[in-house]
Amino acid sequence: MFHELSVILLFATAVGAVGLLLRQPLLVSFIAAGILAGPSVLGLGMADAHLELLAQFGISILLFIVGLKLDIHLIRTMGAVALTTGLGQVIFTSVFGFFICLALGISPLASLYIAVAITFSSTIIIVKLLSDKGEIDALHGRVALGFLIVQDIVVVLVMVVVSALAAGTAEDGAGGMVLQVAAVFAKGAVMVAVVALFMKYVAQRLLDRLATSPELMVLLAVGLAAAFASGAEMLGFSMELGAFLAGVALASTTYREVIGARLNALRDFMLLFFFISLGAHMDLSTVRDQIVPAAVLSVFVLVGNPLIVLVIMGLMGYRKRTGFLAGLTVAQISEFSLIFMAMGLSLGHVTNQDVGLVTLVGVVTIGLSTYMILYSHQLYPRLEKLLGVFERRVPHREVAQEAAAAPAHADVILFGLGRYGSNIGRELRQRGMSVLGVDFDPEAVQQWTRQGHPALYGDASDPDFAATLPLQDKQWVVTAVPAQQSSTAGGDPSETLVRSLRSSGYRGRIAVTAHRAGDVTRLRKAGADVVLLPFADAAHHAVEVITGRAADIETRGVEHA
């Protein structure tokens, strides 16, 4: 086993390096490595059971970190749209997918299985992509996470139905289904109660005792993630749901940021095994005769699923951009789709060819949707005019949220409430200026408001957001967006904000943060009055202090420190 894993790690590194040269996402490279190393191609003799175990740990840690960052208030605010969108997408995909399969000449029972299988989206892949882009806390990220959880619950119920069908006759199976569905809800209520009690009486006290040893806190976090995941699976739920709830159980503690930061590197390494395992389990030997049906179903998943999310979110009062970004997250099928088809195969309800068809749809949709999500901010401007039909004339839900948080006036509107932005805001307030903070991270917004300063949730890369701000021509708009956000969002949020401000008629002054000297000209052409270079400015200031040309500044700096 050890030798096989060492070969797989080096092979995955080589495939990933080739992918980087070809400018391909690492996620796609790792899935390709699994396919190439698996039995369908090279057959490197992979230790399946051990690889699966490592993959399960990676999944548990990923979903644990997501739950760790979840604000319970956000669950209440996102509940309605998550439930409506999640169920709407499942019903739409399964019904239309069934008729598409019938039109392709597939038997009714197999069509039902395939239609249900392609309704599931991969929570693990989506959460990984949104986390890498820094968008898991954005509005569309929270909505997507909500309806992915709804999908996971539907997966559980579907598995219950299939298990009941396998248990006996149709009559017994129908009665068994009712009992099992009731048992699922009862077990779910027990799980939620356990999490609530743990949050209230155990979590903070336990971590307080372990706070002197960060290593023990990390060990406890990994142990809880694995234990909750295991417990959820024993109760008939998915491991993802259990690990997610484990994170939620610690989300209310004061140590969640420390734990999350220490687990990030472990998460990324362990998830490698999940993606390799996913690729290795895709048997390509049965897909040669399924290319045309797979192409039709892949287009349906890649286009139809995002469209239904756009329609539902538009009707519920969200902007077309939010619906578009959230909709892209369901433009692929899940690893559960393959598991579900395998269950149907074991019951004799589907054939190897049907399983091969879903496998090929999985390869196509996972690969293409990865690019769609990674480059979503570049796709949106190209499709924006076509998406107008999916937005109400007044997207009341988003507008109401923004209007409730926005003050009537501010001397400075500051985008980005991280270390750099918060220091800018503090200095401005010390000079008697009122500052409205804006950030796409709800935690940063809450921290800002807890300090007694006005703030609202918003995304600098949203071209429609500028129109909702209390803009006046005598004020400043300042961006202090972190460098990593600019590089992962598929474009420069500062440039997008400047252009949208100018196009909306804003005549006030704009200061933007750049992280490379080469960006200065581009940002000035977009309409920025001042371009800040934090590292260059800090270096210049440091040299002034060192050479004694700014003694007064040095004195103030020492006093402030």
Side-chain angles (χ1 to χ4, degrees):
M1 178 194 70
F2 185 82
H3 298 302
E4 290 178 3
L5 287 179
S6 64
V7 171
I8 291 169
L9 286 173
L10 290 176
F11 182 72
T13 303
V15 175
V18 173
L20 285 179
L21 291 176
L22 298 175
R23 300 181 181 274
Q24 305 302 306
L26 276 179
L27 187 152
V28 174
S29 297
F30 290 153
I31 294 177
I35 295 174
L36 294 174
S40 297
V41 186
L42 297 178
L44 294 180
M46 300 170 65
D48 289 344
H50 303 92
L51 191 65
E52 183 67 22
L53 177 63
L54 293 172
Q56 289 172 347
F57 265 99
I59 294 169
S60 298
I61 294 171
L62 171 66
L63 272 297
F64 173 84
I65 293 176
V66 173
L68 194 67
K69 296 181 178 181
L70 192 68
D71 188 338
I72 299 299
H73 173 70
L74 298 181
I75 297 178
R76 294 194 294 266
T77 57
M78 292 291 106
V81 64
L83 184 63
T84 304
T85 307
L87 292 179
Q89 182 266 319
V90 167
I91 295 171
F92 168 84
T93 305
S94 57
V95 171
F96 282 86
F98 175 74
F99 288 108
I100 290 174
C101 290
L102 288 179
L104 291 171
I106 302 173
S107 67
L109 183 57
S111 295
L112 179 61
Y113 266 87
I114 295 171
V116 172
I118 62 176
T119 62
F120 308 144
S121 302
S122 178
T123 302
I124 301 103
I125 293 177
I126 298 309
V127 170
K128 171 63 175 170
L129 288 171
L130 292 178
S131 297
D132 288 347
K133 293 183 67 180
E135 295 180 1
I136 197 69
D137 288 321
L139 177 58
H140 64 273
R142 291 181 290 152
V143 172
L145 179 61
F147 59 64
L148 287 172
I149 292 173
V150 172
Q151 280 191 4
D152 284 344
I153 295 173
V154 173
V155 169
V156 173
L157 295 176
V158 170
M159 296 295 186
V160 166
V161 172
V162 174
S163 299
L165 288 174
T169 63
E171 183 178 352
D172 293 336
M177 277 188 279
V178 174
L179 292 177
Q180 290 191 46
V181 169
V184 166
F185 283 104
K187 292 174 182 178
V190 171
M191 285 185 62
V192 173
V194 169
V195 171
L197 292 173
F198 188 90
M199 290 174 63
K200 186 173 183 179
Y201 297 109
V202 180
Q204 186 67 43
R205 293 182 177 90
L206 182 59
L207 289 177
D208 284 339
R209 293 182 176 273
L210 300 178
T212 55
S213 175
E215 292 82 3
L216 277 180
M217 283 202 300
V218 171
L219 185 59
L220 172 67
V222 175
L224 284 176
F228 272 68
S230 178
E233 190 176 36
M234 291 173 63
L235 291 174
F237 294 92
S238 66
M239 288 191 310
E240 290 89 343
L241 183 60
F244 175 79
L245 290 176
V248 172
L250 298 184
S252 60
T253 68
T254 56
Y255 303 100
R256 69 176 190 171
E257 297 297 337
V258 175
I259 295 173
R262 285 180 170 266
L263 285 178
N264 284 335
L266 180 61
R267 172 203 65 187
D268 292 338
F269 175 71
M270 298 299 290
L271 275 176
L272 164 67
F273 297 104
F274 165 74
F275 294 119
I276 291 178
S277 176
L278 179 61
H281 283 83
M282 291 182 176
D283 185 3
L284 304 182
S285 62
T286 61
V287 302
R288 296 176 182 175
D289 298 329
Q290 305 288 351
I291 294 178
V292 174
V296 174
L297 290 175
S298 296
V299 171
F300 172 64
V301 172
L302 290 166
V303 178
N305 282 355
L307 281 179
I308 189 60
V309 172
L310 264 167
V311 170
I312 294 174
M313 292 188 66
L315 292 174
M316 295 190 70
Y318 286 90
R319 291 194 177 94
K320 57 187 178 184
R321 180 178 181 274
T322 304
F324 174 78
L325 296 177
L328 291 184
T329 62
V330 293
Q332 90 289 120
I333 67 172
S334 168
E335 63 281 358
F336 283 114
S337 304
L338 306 180
I339 296 173
F340 178 68
M341 292 301 294
M343 290 181 64
L345 182 64
S346 66
L347 296 174
H349 295 165
V350 298
T351 65
N352 284 323
Q353 286 71 27
D354 299 322
V355 176
L357 172 59
V358 175
T359 299
L360 187 54
V361 172
V363 173
V364 173
T365 56
I366 290 173
L368 291 180
S369 68
T370 298
Y371 291 102
M372 292 164 64
I373 295 170
L374 287 175
Y375 299 104
S376 57
H377 293 272
Q378 295 173 336
L379 282 174
Y380 176 75
R382 299 173 183 270
L383 301 174
E384 182 179 5
K385 293 182 179 179
L386 299 176
L387 300 177
V389 67
F390 300 107
E391 180 179 281
R392 287 189 171 187
R393 186 167 58 181
V394 178
H396 59 87
R397 192 176 295 265
E398 285 194 53
V399 171
Q401 293 174 357
E402 293 158 356
H409 170 74
D411 297 319
V412 178
I413 299 178
L414 174 63
F415 280 82
L417 302 178
R419 287 176 296 180
Y420 184 56
S422 60
N423 277 286
I424 290 176
R426 185 183 64 247
E427 294 291 337
L428 289 171
R429 290 195 305 271
Q430 288 177 354
R431 286 162 174 75
M433 304 178 74
S434 59
V435 180
L436 168 63
V438 182
D439 204 293
F440 82 106
D441 183 354
E443 179 62 29
V445 172
Q446 290 177 7
Q447 184 176 355
W448 190 261
T449 54
R450 281 196 295 265
Q451 296 172 359
H453 312 306
L456 55 85
Y457 176 87
D459 188 352
S461 61
D462 182 354
D464 298 324
F465 181 69
T468 68
L469 296 170
L471 296 172
Q472 296 180 353
D473 291 343
K474 294 183 179 181
Q475 68 187 170
W476 278 87
V477 174
V478 180
T479 71
V481 180
Q484 63 268 25
Q485 184 178 334
S486 296
S487 63
T488 59
D492 187 347
S494 296
E495 182 179 358
T496 301
L497 178 63
V498 172
R499 293 188 183 279
S500 60
L501 286 169
R502 295 308 186 196
S503 63
S504 64
Y506 175 65
R507 297 183 178 84
R509 306 197 71 188
I510 303 174
V512 300
T513 302
H515 303 280
R516 295 181 300 270
D519 294 334
V520 174
T521 301
R522 173 174 55 83
L523 291 170
R524 284 191 175 278
K525 286 183 178 179
D529 298 290
V530 176
V531 179
L532 306 173
L533 292 167
F535 299 112
D537 294 341
H540 176 74
H541 174 82
V543 171
E544 291 291 317
V545 172
I546 292 169
T547 57
R549 297 178 184 176
D552 57 332
I553 296 178
E554 180 184 19
T555 302
R556 290 201 304 272
V558 172
E559 290 174 352
H560 180 71

